Amino acid sequence: QVQLVESGGGLVQPGGSLRLSCAASGSIPRFYDMGWYRQAPGKQRELVAGINSGGSTNYADSVKGRFTISRDNAKNTAYLQMNSLKPEDTAVYYCDAHWSWGRNYDYWGQGTLVTVSS
């Protein structure tokens, strides 16, 4: 089994910053991809940023230039640095780890709430 634990959410004013962390543990392979998703009230879950095992990244257009995804492979941890936060960034943020080995494996964290409000 694989466990993902997110941390770092909270309340922040518009224009502020937060850093989310996602620690993976359990039966994790050497190479796997990770991603951050978010789900706002009444909306579908959407991809925010992804990073593969080689460090290549991709971002949703809405967060480009403001958010940065990174990972520390030695710690099996991914990070999401969020700057210039806007009220529309308010959502529950989820971490995802996935890989393929004979079949697709996909694991999710429990989510961490980010609220951007004055």
Side-chain angles (χ1 to χ4, degrees), residues 32-37 47-61 63-73 77-81 98:
Y32 60 100
D33 301 340
M34 299 189 79
W36 285 97
Y37 292 73
L47 174 67
V48 176
I51 185 166
N52 67 15
S53 57
S56 295
T57 60
N58 61 286
Y59 296 91
D61 288 343
V63 306
K64 282 181 181 177
R66 300 188 298 124
F67 291 11
T68 302
I69 188 171
S70 61
R71 66 189 293 169
D72 184 336
N73 291 329
T77 300
Y79 305 95
L80 185 68
Q81 178 66 43
H98 57 276

Side-chain angles (χ1 to χ4, degrees), residues 4-50:
L4 300 176
V5 178
E6 301 107 332
S7 60
L11 174 64
V12 62
Q13 291 187 343
S17 298
L18 280 176
R19 188 194 195 204
L20 306 183
S21 299
C22 172
S25 62
S27 302
I28 307 169
R30 183 176 179 184
F31 302 106
Y32 60 100
D33 301 340
M34 299 189 79
W36 285 97
Y37 292 73
R38 67 185 180 187
Q39 187 167 19
K43 294 188 177 181
Q44 290 189 333
R45 189 173 299 189
E46 62 175 357
L47 174 67
V48 176

